[in-house]
């Protein structure tokens, strides 16, 4: 739904068209999907399609075609809350991601239930892509609502745990592998998911540091150093500050025990 939104060249002046699926239709689609489909019991190809659907739903622009829902009096007369210029087309007030008509916390529970425990490397890449998008969908300035931001913060540890199970990456392509997914590809995509929100910092940093022990395999240490650098870049100074003593201790241990 939104995967190609930024694919055009810088000189392309043509405006993006409206989403192919309305917000209300996307909500109904998600309701039916979560009610009828138990993703973990599906075969690999169908799980892949399920994750692609969830990515499309949360990538969808937030509510720009549902202005009436943003208007406190139920009409599209331009006096929506957050409509700064009175033209009725501002989307400053979020409706939340179109992941069903349930509460924000139930939306997250449904997504976790659909994705938790995935093991196929092709699908793990999609789960990580989905996890990299979740913070913006729930906490972004357009799609996020106070309820969605609060639900995301309250569920941060559970959300992090879904992708934490893949770190450190142990995948090695077997000889003659036709899937053609590499260790490096999985590790890089996983870093994006693990570092997608500063809410993950209290869980991600200690988790990554466990793999920096001198006794660990050099490949594991290499992945951990890359993940630690990604944490520092993504989480920022305030979120990283409580962890600096332990980070320095882990790095010093590596330097003293090469």
């Amino acid at each position: 739904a939104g995967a190609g939104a930024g694919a055009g060249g810088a000189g392309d002046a043509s405006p993006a068209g409206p989403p192919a699926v309305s917000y209300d239709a996307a909500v109904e689609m998600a309701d039916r999907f979560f009610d009828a489909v138990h993703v973990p019991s599906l075969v690999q190809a169908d799980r892949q399609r399920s994750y692609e659907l969830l990515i499309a739903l949360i990538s969808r622009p937030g509510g720009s075609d549902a202005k009436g829902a943003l208007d406190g009096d139920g009409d599209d007369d331009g006096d929506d809350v957050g409509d700064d210029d009175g033209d009725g087309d501002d989307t400053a007030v979020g409706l939340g991601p179109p992941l069903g008509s349930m509460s924000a916390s139930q939306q997250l529970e449904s997504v976790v239930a659909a994705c938790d425990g995935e093991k196929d490397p092709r699908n793990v890449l999609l789960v990580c892509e989905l996890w990299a998008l979740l913070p913006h969908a729930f906490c972004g300035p357009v799609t996020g609502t106070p309820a969605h931001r609060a639900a995301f913060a309250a569920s941060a540890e559970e959300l992090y745990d879904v992708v934490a199970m893949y770190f450190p990456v142990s995948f090695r392509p077997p000889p003659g592998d036709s899937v053609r997914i590499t260790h490096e590809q999985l590790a890089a995509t996983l870093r994006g998911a693990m570092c997608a929100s500063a809410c993950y910092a209290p869980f991600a940093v200690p988790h990554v540091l466990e793999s920096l022990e001198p006794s660990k395999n050099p490949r594991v240490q290499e992945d951990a150093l890359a993940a630690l650098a990604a944490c520092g870049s993504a989480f920022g100074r305030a979120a990283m500050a409580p962890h600096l003593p332990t980070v320095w201790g882990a790095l010093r241990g590596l330097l003293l025990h090469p």
Side-chain angles (χ1 to χ4, degrees):
D12 186 1
S14 59
V21 177
S22 72
Y23 183 88
D24 289 343
V27 168
E28 182 179 359
M29 189 184 305
D31 278 335
R32 295 189 179 188
F33 172 77
F34 288 127
D35 285 344
V37 180
H38 183 251
V39 176
S41 65
L42 302 176
V43 298
Q44 182 275 327
D46 289 339
R47 296 198 310 276
Q48 177 177 330
R49 295 185 185 96
S50 297
Y51 302 141
E52 289 169 345
L53 171 63
L54 292 174
I55 289 171
L57 287 172
I58 70 167
S59 300
R60 186 198 176 285
S64 61
D65 62 326
K67 292 184 286 254
L70 300 181
D71 191 341
D73 57 11
D75 56 21
D76 185 16
D77 57 6
D79 61 353
D80 301 7
V81 177
D83 182 13
D84 294 331
D85 55 11
D87 61 4
D89 61 1
D90 285 351
T91 58
V93 177
L95 298 175
L99 290 174
S101 57
M102 62 196 85
S103 69
S105 60
Q106 290 172 325
Q107 289 177 348
L108 286 172
E109 290 171 5
S110 297
V111 173
V112 168
C115 301
D116 199 13
E118 177 60 60
K119 291 182 173 59
D120 186 278
R122 294 163 291 186
N123 288 349
V124 168
L125 288 175
L126 290 173
V127 170
C128 289
E129 181 182 347
L130 175 62
W131 248 244
L133 295 169
L134 276 177
H136 180 75
F138 275 74
C139 307
V142 173
T143 55
T145 70
H148 282 83
R149 295 183 186 101
F152 186 91
S155 303
E157 184 172 9
E158 181 183 8
L159 291 168
Y160 177 75
D161 285 345
V162 171
V163 292
M165 66 175 287
Y166 305 115
F167 185 86
V169 174
S170 58
F171 174 75
R172 297 292 184 275
D177 178 37
S178 61
V179 177
R180 301 186 185 279
I181 292 176
T182 66
H183 174 100
E184 291 74 16
Q185 184 182 7
L186 277 171
T189 307
L190 177 58
R191 287 195 295 270
M194 292 170 60
C195 302
S197 169
C199 292
Y200 296 160
F203 322 110
V205 177
H207 180 212
V208 169
L209 292 180
E210 291 175 2
S211 296
L212 281 180
E213 295 177 2
S215 60
K216 296 292 186 180
N217 181 284
R219 184 65 173 273
V220 171
Q221 294 175 347
E222 181 182 338
D223 284 349
L225 286 170
L228 184 61
C231 287
S233 177
F235 296 154
R237 182 180 303 176
M240 289 295 294
H243 305 285
L244 291 182
T246 52
V247 168
W248 166 237
L251 294 176
R252 183 175 58 185
L254 281 182
L255 292 171
L256 295 178
H257 300 88

